[in-house]
Amino acid sequence: TVNAQFLGGPVAVSIASQRDGAIAVNARGTLSAASLQTALEQPLLRQLSGTTAWTSSMLFRRRGASILVESGLQGIVSTLPAPLAKAGADVLPLRFEHTVVTEEQSGRWSGPPMTDRSTLDLGKLVRIEVQRRREGGKMVVERGAVGLNEAPRLPERGIVLNGNASELDLDQWLPALAGSGAAPLPLTALNLQIGALDVYGKRINQVALRAGFQGSDWLAHVNARELAGDVRWRSQGKGRISAQLSHFT
């Protein structure tokens, strides 16, 4: 076992060779939210504070590798909007897994990555799964899925968001996401059921929302207690929103 520092926190690492020639690496340590923010430069992480323990297992083979990171996030305080707000004593199991398949090259351990797959779980609240492939000299997203309070369902291509929530406050989430500096998720379709949706100071109840692309336009169908109908966003020029509603109260 080797003791070292990783992102400002202590880490213990053990390395072992497997019978099939693979190399297994196991690590455990602690990490602070401040150190993670400095390393990733992600403004959303500024709403996290505290320190938590984590473990990781890695396996390196001739044709690729797999990495697993797990943490209960105990000790981390989150002031993000619900459902990602948490107190330091709360447990929110985090599981991140990344697998890579590389080119086979004679005389070398591995070549450039051909495909990879990443999954991120935050308890049962959120699950994200993304598959990429090598195209030219870079990795591009082939397909992905985000599940909110339910398991994601990978499409044949594109990125979809499915799920349900008893409440969702977009008036809190939109400013947080606008200041995150992150690129918007390139969704191709979504299907959401929300009990109470707060947006622009209004509450909309019993919301069912389905949306996807029709040509270059984003077309959504919404059905709620207060309104129902179709909404179209035309992306050409400065963009334009039009709606055909069967009722609005």
Side-chain angles (χ1 to χ4, degrees):
T1 301
V2 177
N3 295 310
Q5 292 282 312
F6 177 68
L7 294 180
V11 59
V13 181
S14 62
I15 303 174
S17 297
Q18 306 294 301
R19 289 184 177 181
D20 60 359
I23 297 176
V25 180
N26 292 293
R28 65 182 185 278
T30 59
L31 181 68
S32 71
S35 296
L36 196 60
Q37 158 62 24
T38 300
L40 299 181
E41 297 182 349
Q42 170 51 258
L44 270 180
L45 295 178
R46 294 173 185 163
Q47 299 190 61
L48 305 182
S49 60
T51 301
T52 192
W54 59 271
T55 62
S56 178
S57 59
M58 295 160 272
L59 190 63
F60 299 92
R61 303 180 182 274
R62 290 188 179 276
R63 290 294 312 280
S66 62
I67 301 171
L68 173 65
V69 179
E70 294 179 294
S71 173
L73 297 182
Q74 280 182 297
I76 295 294
V77 176
S78 170
T79 57
L80 286 167
L84 296 185
K86 71 177 289 293
D90 295 342
V91 175
L92 180 59
L94 177 148
R95 177 185 171 93
F96 173 74
E97 189 171 5
H98 183 67
T99 57
V100 180
V101 176
T102 62
E103 290 182 5
E104 186 174 4
Q105 293 192 355
S106 177
R108 296 181 57 184
W109 239 76
S110 64
M114 296 174 57
T115 62
D116 65 20
R117 174 179 175 270
S118 299
T119 60
L120 174 66
D121 293 271
L122 285 173
K124 295 182 178 180
L125 294 177
V126 180
R127 179 178 173 88
I128 303 172
E129 183 172 348
V130 176
Q131 294 183 359
R132 303 189 304 171
R133 71 178 188 280
R134 188 174 183 84
E135 190 172 282
K138 62 180 181 179
M139 301 297 291
V140 297
V141 174
E142 186 173 39
R143 57 181 185 159
V146 180
L148 179 64
N149 290 314
E150 66 178 51
R153 299 184 293 274
L154 276 173
E156 290 189 7
R157 65 173 183 263
I159 299 178
V160 299
L161 168 62
N162 294 291
N164 64 86
S166 57
E167 294 184 356
L168 186 63
D169 192 337
L170 284 183
D171 287 336
Q172 291 187 24
W173 271 109
L174 289 175
L177 294 174
S180 71
L185 192 65
L187 289 174
T188 52
L190 63 85
N191 188 348
L192 292 175
Q193 308 283 331
I194 304 172
L197 177 67
D198 294 318
V199 57
Y200 299 121
K202 303 292 184 181
R203 169 158 287 194
I204 306 174
N205 297 280
Q206 299 176 358
V207 180
L209 175 64
R210 298 194 312 273
F213 276 108
Q214 187 176 80
S216 60
D217 296 347
W218 183 256
L219 182 64
H221 178 78
V222 60
N223 187 20
R225 184 190 303 167
E226 292 82 3
L227 62 92
D230 297 320
V231 179
R232 181 184 294 269
W233 179 69
R234 299 184 183 276
S235 59
Q236 296 178 347
K238 295 182 179 180
R240 187 179 67 174
I241 295 177
S242 59
Q244 293 182 331
L245 303 179
S246 60
H247 76 267
F248 180 79
T249 59

